[in-house]
Amino acid sequence: MDEYDLSRFCCRNPDCPDHGQRGHGNLTVTARYGPRRTRMLRCRTCRTRFSERKGTPLFDARLPHGTVADILAHVAEGVGSRKTARLVGVHRDTVTHYTRRAGDHAQQLHDELVTFSPDDY
Ligand SMILES: [Zn+2]
């Protein structure tokens, strides 16, 4: 991913006028942290700071977080997409959709989703 490409991120503050708007130019990188050099983003409009992980498309999913976490848990365990779909109760395309997004980070994403608090919105 392009180091400076912030177009796929958006402000996570629901009270912000720029909330949910991608590529709006309101986000800047303020810091990096962790072994993966995760970026801390800041919204110029409302001055909210949030991790780039929270701004990724995964968290805009229409599925409940629990369901996404279930999908990723199965995938991370090596369960095939067909079987995962049956176990979780979603369409197989949904599974492959998330699997593709998560890639090798399925376990990591799962852990984040499980600890994810809706209050963070
Ligand atoms: Zn904002």
Short mmCIF file of all heavy atoms in Angstrom, two decimals, residues 35-63:
data_model
loop_
_atom_site.label_atom_id
_atom_site.label_comp_id
_atom_site.label_asym_id
_atom_site.label_seq_id
_atom_site.Cartn_x
_atom_site.Cartn_y
_atom_site.Cartn_z
N PRO A 35 4.87 -3.10 16.12
CA PRO A 35 5.82 -3.80 15.24
C PRO A 35 5.49 -3.62 13.76
O PRO A 35 6.36 -3.70 12.91
CB PRO A 35 5.70 -5.26 15.66
CG PRO A 35 4.40 -5.36 16.38
CD PRO A 35 4.14 -4.01 16.98
N ARG A 36 4.24 -3.38 13.44
CA ARG A 36 3.85 -3.20 12.04
C ARG A 36 3.83 -1.74 11.64
O ARG A 36 3.37 -1.41 10.56
CB ARG A 36 2.47 -3.82 11.79
CG ARG A 36 2.48 -5.32 11.87
CD ARG A 36 1.08 -5.87 11.75
NE ARG A 36 1.05 -7.28 12.04
CZ ARG A 36 1.32 -8.22 11.13
NH1 ARG A 36 1.59 -7.87 9.90
NH2 ARG A 36 1.29 -9.49 11.47
N ARG A 37 4.31 -0.90 12.53
CA ARG A 37 4.35 0.53 12.24
C ARG A 37 2.97 1.03 11.85
O ARG A 37 2.80 1.77 10.87
CB ARG A 37 5.36 0.84 11.12
CG ARG A 37 6.73 0.25 11.34
CD ARG A 37 7.37 0.71 12.62
NE ARG A 37 7.69 2.14 12.60
CZ ARG A 37 7.80 2.89 13.69
NH1 ARG A 37 7.58 2.35 14.86
NH2 ARG A 37 8.12 4.15 13.61
N THR A 38 2.00 0.60 12.60
CA THR A 38 0.63 1.03 12.35
C THR A 38 0.54 2.54 12.48
O THR A 38 1.10 3.12 13.41
CB THR A 38 -0.32 0.37 13.37
OG1 THR A 38 -0.21 -1.03 13.23
CG2 THR A 38 -1.77 0.80 13.12
N ARG A 39 -0.16 3.14 11.56
CA ARG A 39 -0.25 4.59 11.57
C ARG A 39 -1.37 5.09 12.47
O ARG A 39 -2.45 4.53 12.50
CB ARG A 39 -0.46 5.13 10.15
CG ARG A 39 0.75 4.91 9.28
CD ARG A 39 0.49 5.39 7.89
NE ARG A 39 -0.57 4.61 7.25
CZ ARG A 39 -0.90 4.75 5.97
NH1 ARG A 39 -0.28 5.60 5.22
NH2 ARG A 39 -1.84 4.01 5.46
N MET A 40 -1.08 6.14 13.17
CA MET A 40 -2.10 6.84 13.93
C MET A 40 -2.53 8.02 13.06
O MET A 40 -1.71 8.83 12.65
CB MET A 40 -1.52 7.33 15.26
CG MET A 40 -2.53 8.04 16.16
SD MET A 40 -3.91 7.01 16.65
CE MET A 40 -3.08 5.88 17.80
N LEU A 41 -3.81 8.05 12.76
CA LEU A 41 -4.33 9.10 11.89
C LEU A 41 -5.05 10.16 12.71
O LEU A 41 -5.58 9.88 13.78
CB LEU A 41 -5.29 8.50 10.86
CG LEU A 41 -4.75 7.34 10.02
CD1 LEU A 41 -5.80 6.88 9.03
CD2 LEU A 41 -3.48 7.74 9.29
N ARG A 42 -5.08 11.34 12.17
CA ARG A 42 -5.76 12.43 12.85
C ARG A 42 -6.63 13.17 11.85
O ARG A 42 -6.20 13.43 10.72
CB ARG A 42 -4.72 13.37 13.44
CG ARG A 42 -5.29 14.58 14.15
CD ARG A 42 -4.14 15.34 14.80
NE ARG A 42 -4.57 16.61 15.34
CZ ARG A 42 -4.68 17.73 14.62
NH1 ARG A 42 -4.39 17.73 13.35
NH2 ARG A 42 -5.07 18.85 15.19
N CYS A 43 -7.83 13.48 12.29
CA CYS A 43 -8.74 14.23 11.44
C CYS A 43 -8.54 15.72 11.71
O CYS A 43 -8.65 16.16 12.85
CB CYS A 43 -10.18 13.82 11.72
SG CYS A 43 -11.39 14.82 10.84
N ARG A 44 -8.25 16.45 10.66
CA ARG A 44 -8.03 17.90 10.82
C ARG A 44 -9.32 18.61 11.21
O ARG A 44 -9.29 19.63 11.87
CB ARG A 44 -7.54 18.50 9.50
CG ARG A 44 -6.08 18.28 9.20
CD ARG A 44 -5.64 19.25 8.09
NE ARG A 44 -4.33 18.91 7.58
CZ ARG A 44 -4.12 18.43 6.36
NH1 ARG A 44 -5.13 18.24 5.54
NH2 ARG A 44 -2.90 18.14 5.96
N THR A 45 -10.41 18.05 10.78
CA THR A 45 -11.70 18.72 10.99
C THR A 45 -12.14 18.69 12.45
O THR A 45 -12.50 19.70 13.02
CB THR A 45 -12.77 18.07 10.10
OG1 THR A 45 -12.30 18.01 8.76
CG2 THR A 45 -14.07 18.87 10.14
N CYS A 46 -12.06 17.49 13.06
CA CYS A 46 -12.56 17.37 14.43
C CYS A 46 -11.45 17.06 15.42
O CYS A 46 -11.68 16.93 16.61
CB CYS A 46 -13.64 16.30 14.50
SG CYS A 46 -13.03 14.65 14.13
N ARG A 47 -10.23 16.86 14.92
CA ARG A 47 -9.06 16.60 15.75
C ARG A 47 -9.12 15.27 16.47
O ARG A 47 -8.44 15.08 17.47
CB ARG A 47 -8.84 17.74 16.76
CG ARG A 47 -8.71 19.07 16.04
CD ARG A 47 -8.04 20.09 16.93
NE ARG A 47 -7.76 21.31 16.17
CZ ARG A 47 -8.17 22.53 16.53
NH1 ARG A 47 -8.84 22.69 17.64
NH2 ARG A 47 -7.89 23.56 15.80
N THR A 48 -9.93 14.37 15.97
CA THR A 48 -9.97 13.03 16.55
C THR A 48 -8.79 12.23 16.02
O THR A 48 -8.46 12.31 14.84
CB THR A 48 -11.28 12.32 16.16
OG1 THR A 48 -12.37 12.99 16.77
CG2 THR A 48 -11.28 10.86 16.62
N ARG A 49 -8.18 11.44 16.89
CA ARG A 49 -7.10 10.55 16.48
C ARG A 49 -7.60 9.12 16.56
O ARG A 49 -8.34 8.77 17.47
CB ARG A 49 -5.89 10.73 17.41
CG ARG A 49 -5.12 12.00 17.16
CD ARG A 49 -4.36 12.40 18.40
NE ARG A 49 -3.44 11.34 18.81
CZ ARG A 49 -2.13 11.35 18.56
NH1 ARG A 49 -1.59 12.37 17.95
NH2 ARG A 49 -1.36 10.37 18.95
N PHE A 50 -7.19 8.32 15.61
CA PHE A 50 -7.57 6.91 15.64
C PHE A 50 -6.56 6.10 14.85
O PHE A 50 -5.85 6.64 13.99
CB PHE A 50 -8.98 6.71 15.06
CG PHE A 50 -9.14 7.23 13.66
CD1 PHE A 50 -8.95 6.39 12.58
CD2 PHE A 50 -9.48 8.55 13.43
CE1 PHE A 50 -9.09 6.88 11.29
CE2 PHE A 50 -9.62 9.03 12.15
CZ PHE A 50 -9.42 8.19 11.07
N SER A 51 -6.51 4.83 15.16
CA SER A 51 -5.60 3.93 14.47
C SER A 51 -6.08 3.69 13.05
O SER A 51 -7.28 3.63 12.79
CB SER A 51 -5.53 2.60 15.21
OG SER A 51 -5.05 1.59 14.37
N GLU A 52 -5.15 3.53 12.11
CA GLU A 52 -5.54 3.27 10.74
C GLU A 52 -6.29 1.94 10.63
O GLU A 52 -7.05 1.73 9.72
CB GLU A 52 -4.32 3.24 9.81
CG GLU A 52 -3.39 2.07 10.07
CD GLU A 52 -2.29 1.99 9.01
OE1 GLU A 52 -2.50 2.52 7.92
OE2 GLU A 52 -1.23 1.43 9.30
N ARG A 53 -6.06 1.06 11.58
CA ARG A 53 -6.76 -0.22 11.55
C ARG A 53 -8.26 -0.01 11.72
O ARG A 53 -9.06 -0.76 11.19
CB ARG A 53 -6.28 -1.11 12.70
CG ARG A 53 -4.80 -1.37 12.62
CD ARG A 53 -4.52 -2.84 12.60
NE ARG A 53 -3.12 -3.09 12.89
CZ ARG A 53 -2.71 -3.57 14.05
NH1 ARG A 53 -3.58 -3.85 15.00
NH2 ARG A 53 -1.45 -3.80 14.24
N LYS A 54 -8.62 0.98 12.48
CA LYS A 54 -10.04 1.25 12.70
C LYS A 54 -10.66 1.95 11.51
O LYS A 54 -11.86 2.03 11.40
CB LYS A 54 -10.21 2.12 13.95
CG LYS A 54 -9.77 1.39 15.20
CD LYS A 54 -10.84 1.38 16.25
CE LYS A 54 -10.51 0.36 17.32
NZ LYS A 54 -9.97 0.94 18.50
N GLY A 55 -9.80 2.47 10.64
CA GLY A 55 -10.31 3.18 9.47
C GLY A 55 -10.36 2.32 8.24
O GLY A 55 -10.75 2.78 7.17
N THR A 56 -9.98 1.07 8.36
CA THR A 56 -9.94 0.20 7.19
C THR A 56 -11.35 -0.24 6.81
O THR A 56 -12.24 -0.28 7.65
CB THR A 56 -9.09 -1.05 7.45
OG1 THR A 56 -9.59 -1.71 8.60
CG2 THR A 56 -7.64 -0.67 7.66
N PRO A 57 -11.53 -0.59 5.55
CA PRO A 57 -12.86 -0.99 5.06
C PRO A 57 -13.47 -2.14 5.83
O PRO A 57 -14.67 -2.26 5.91
CB PRO A 57 -12.58 -1.42 3.62
CG PRO A 57 -11.34 -0.68 3.24
CD PRO A 57 -10.53 -0.58 4.50
N LEU A 58 -12.63 -2.97 6.43
CA LEU A 58 -13.14 -4.12 7.16
C LEU A 58 -14.15 -3.70 8.22
O LEU A 58 -15.14 -4.38 8.47
CB LEU A 58 -11.98 -4.86 7.82
CG LEU A 58 -12.35 -6.19 8.49
CD1 LEU A 58 -12.68 -7.24 7.46
CD2 LEU A 58 -11.21 -6.67 9.36
N PHE A 59 -13.91 -2.58 8.83
CA PHE A 59 -14.76 -2.14 9.93
C PHE A 59 -16.03 -1.45 9.45
O PHE A 59 -16.86 -1.08 10.24
CB PHE A 59 -13.97 -1.24 10.88
CG PHE A 59 -12.95 -2.00 11.65
CD1 PHE A 59 -11.64 -2.01 11.26
CD2 PHE A 59 -13.33 -2.75 12.74
CE1 PHE A 59 -10.70 -2.74 11.95
CE2 PHE A 59 -12.39 -3.48 13.44
CZ PHE A 59 -11.07 -3.48 13.04
N ASP A 60 -16.12 -1.26 8.14
CA ASP A 60 -17.35 -0.70 7.60
C ASP A 60 -18.28 -1.81 7.14
O ASP A 60 -19.28 -1.57 6.48
CB ASP A 60 -17.04 0.21 6.40
CG ASP A 60 -16.40 1.51 6.89
OD1 ASP A 60 -16.63 1.85 8.05
OD2 ASP A 60 -15.71 2.15 6.10
N ALA A 61 -17.91 -3.01 7.49
CA ALA A 61 -18.68 -4.15 7.03
C ALA A 61 -20.13 -4.07 7.48
O ALA A 61 -20.43 -3.57 8.55
CB ALA A 61 -18.05 -5.43 7.56
N ARG A 62 -20.99 -4.57 6.64
CA ARG A 62 -22.41 -4.56 6.99
C ARG A 62 -22.76 -5.69 7.95
O ARG A 62 -23.76 -5.66 8.61
CB ARG A 62 -23.26 -4.67 5.72
CG ARG A 62 -23.56 -3.31 5.11
CD ARG A 62 -24.08 -3.45 3.71
NE ARG A 62 -23.04 -3.93 2.81
CZ ARG A 62 -23.24 -4.19 1.53
NH1 ARG A 62 -24.43 -4.06 1.02
NH2 ARG A 62 -22.25 -4.60 0.78
N LEU A 63 -21.90 -6.68 8.00
CA LEU A 63 -22.13 -7.78 8.94
C LEU A 63 -21.79 -7.32 10.35
O LEU A 63 -20.94 -6.48 10.54
CB LEU A 63 -21.24 -8.97 8.59
CG LEU A 63 -21.60 -9.79 7.35
CD1 LEU A 63 -20.55 -10.87 7.14
CD2 LEU A 63 -22.97 -10.40 7.47
#
